C-alpha cells in the first residue's frame, strides 16, 4: 500500500481531483469525516490528512511515501526528501507586504516582521543584510501590521484580496511560482519504485 500525506485546507480538494485524474481511487476523500487516516476503497492507497506544515515531516520519516505540499512549506521546513514534480496547483507568491503609504517601513533598522514562515523570513532578510525581529504567528497574519503588532508581514499572497481588504499591499515579491509539489520519501522511491514511478509518470502527463 502506498501512503500519501495530504495537506488539509486550500490544497485538499485540488490534490484529490488531480490524484483521481491519475487513476487513484480518491472516493474516500469525498466523504465528510473527522477521520485522519483514510484507506482507498480498492485497498491500494492510504491517505493521512495533516496540516500543510506537517506533510514534509511525515514524508521525511517514511510514514508517508508521498506527499502533496506547497513550495512555501518546503522552503520553510527544509526536510530531507525528494521534490519530484511541480503539480502547478494553488499558485501564489511569497511577499513582503505592509501599509502602502509606509514604504519607509522597509528601511526601518528595527523591523518587526510577522509571519508563519519564521525560518524563510530570517533567511530572506539576512540575505539582504537586515536584522529583523520575527513575530511568529499561525494565521491571520495581515492583522499584525493593522494592529501595530508588526511593521510588515512576510506571507503568501494568492488573489491579494486579504491584503486589499485590510488596507495592505505587496511591497516586494520575494518568491514567485509557489505551487504545490509532489514530494517522495527517499527510501520509498527505491523500495516501492514499481508503484511510485508509474504514478509519477501519470501525474507528469496530466499536469503537462
Ligand atoms: C493565507 C495567507 C493570507 C491569505 C492570502 O492564509 O496567510 O492570509 O491566505 O490569500 P489571498 O491573497 O487569496 O487573500 P489562509 O487563508 O491560508 O489562512 P490563515 O490566515 O489561517 O493562515
Amino acid at each position: 500500500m502506498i501512503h500519501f500525506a495530504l495537506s488539509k485546507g486550500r490544497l485538499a480538494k485540488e490534490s484529490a481531483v488531480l490524484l483521481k485524474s491519475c487513476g487513484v481511487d480518491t472516493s474516500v476523500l469525498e466523504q465528510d469525516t473527522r477521520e485522519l487516516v483514510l484507506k482507498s476503497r480498492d485497498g491500494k492507497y492510504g491517505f493521512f490528512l495533516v496540516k500543510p506544515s506537517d506533510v514534509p515531516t511525515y514524508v521525511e520519516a517514511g510514514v508517508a511515501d508521498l506527499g502533496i505540499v506547497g513550495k512555501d512549506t518546503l522552503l520553510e521546513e527544509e526536510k530531507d526528501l525528494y521534490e519530484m514534480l511541480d503539480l502547478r496547483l494553488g499558485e501564489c507568491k511569497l511577499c513582503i507586504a505592509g501599509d502602502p503609504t509606509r514604504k519607509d517601513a522597509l528601511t526601518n533598522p528595527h523591523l518587526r516582521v510577522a509571519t508563519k514562515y519564521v525560518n524563510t523570513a530570517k533567511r530572506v532578510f539576512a540575505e539582504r543584510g537586515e536584522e529583523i525581529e520575527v513575530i511568529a504567528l499561525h494565521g491571520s497574519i495581515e492583522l499584525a501590521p493593522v494592529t501595530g503588532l508588526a511593521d510588515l508581514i512576510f506571507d503568501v499572497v494568492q488573489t491579494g484580496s486579504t491584503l486589499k481588504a485590510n488596507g495592505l499591499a505587496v511591497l516586494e515579491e520575494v518568491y514567485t511560482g509557489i505551487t504545490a509539489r509532489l514530494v517522495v520519501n527517499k527510501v520509498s522511491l527505491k523500495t516501492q519504485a514499481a508503484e511510485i514511478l508509474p504514478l509519477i509518470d501519470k501525474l507528469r502527463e496530466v499536469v503537462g
Side-chain angles (χ1 to χ4, degrees):
M1 187 185 265
I2 297 290
H3 289 94
F4 276 97
L6 297 179
S7 301
K8 290 195 290 184
R10 277 178 189 241
L11 279 177
K13 220 179 212 154
E14 285 179 286
S15 305
V17 169
L18 178 62
L19 291 175
K20 189 177 180 179
S21 67
C22 292
V24 176
D25 177 7
T26 57
S27 52
V28 71
L29 297 174
E30 284 152 27
Q31 71 190 34
D32 190 19
T33 175
R34 295 287 297 167
E35 270 180 83
L36 300 172
V37 181
L38 299 169
K39 287 202 171 91
S40 68
R41 300 194 207 283
D42 64 5
K44 288 188 186 168
Y45 303 97
F47 304 101
F48 304 128
L49 304 178
V50 302
K51 280 205 166 218
S53 54
D54 294 335
V55 169
T57 304
Y58 279 90
V59 175
E60 181 184 58
V63 171
D65 306 296
L66 298 164
I68 295 182
V69 64
K71 179 70 180 175
D72 51 332
T73 303
L74 294 175
L75 286 168
E76 177 66 13
E77 300 297 328
E78 293 191 299
K79 296 290 185 191
D80 190 20
L81 39 74
Y82 292 130
E83 182 186 324
M84 297 297 289
L85 199 58
D86 183 348
L87 300 174
R88 302 189 186 169
L89 299 177
E91 180 156 5
C92 55
K93 297 167 184 169
L94 266 171
C95 300
I96 299 168
D99 181 339
T101 62
R102 292 224 38 233
K103 278 201 175 132
D104 61 310
L106 263 174
T107 54
N108 182 334
H110 302 291
L111 271 181
R112 295 165 305 153
V113 179
T115 188
K116 285 183 273 200
Y117 305 97
V118 170
N119 300 328
T120 318
K122 281 185 184 160
R123 203 165 55 234
V124 163
F125 282 90
E127 278 164 13
R128 301 154 61 107
E130 288 169 30
E131 262 191 47
I132 57 163
E133 180 191 342
V134 171
I135 302 190
L137 296 175
H138 297 97
S140 304
I141 311 299
E142 291 80 359
L143 188 59
V146 171
T147 55
L149 180 66
D151 303 301
L152 300 170
I153 64 171
F154 178 72
D155 199 14
V156 284
V157 178
Q158 193 166 37
T159 61
S161 54
T162 313
L163 286 180
K164 196 169 169 210
N166 292 288
L168 304 171
V170 171
L171 302 181
E172 199 175 312
E173 291 180 356
V174 180
Y175 293 104
T176 56
I178 299 287
T179 47
R181 309 295 162 102
L182 179 76
V183 292
V184 184
N185 173 265
K186 288 188 163 180
V187 175
S188 300
L189 189 63
K190 289 190 187 125
T191 57
Q192 312 238 50
E195 291 85 25
I196 291 176
L197 291 178
L199 184 58
I200 293 174
D201 286 344
K202 186 76 190 151
L203 279 163
R204 190 175 285 119
E205 201 182 299
V206 170
V207 298

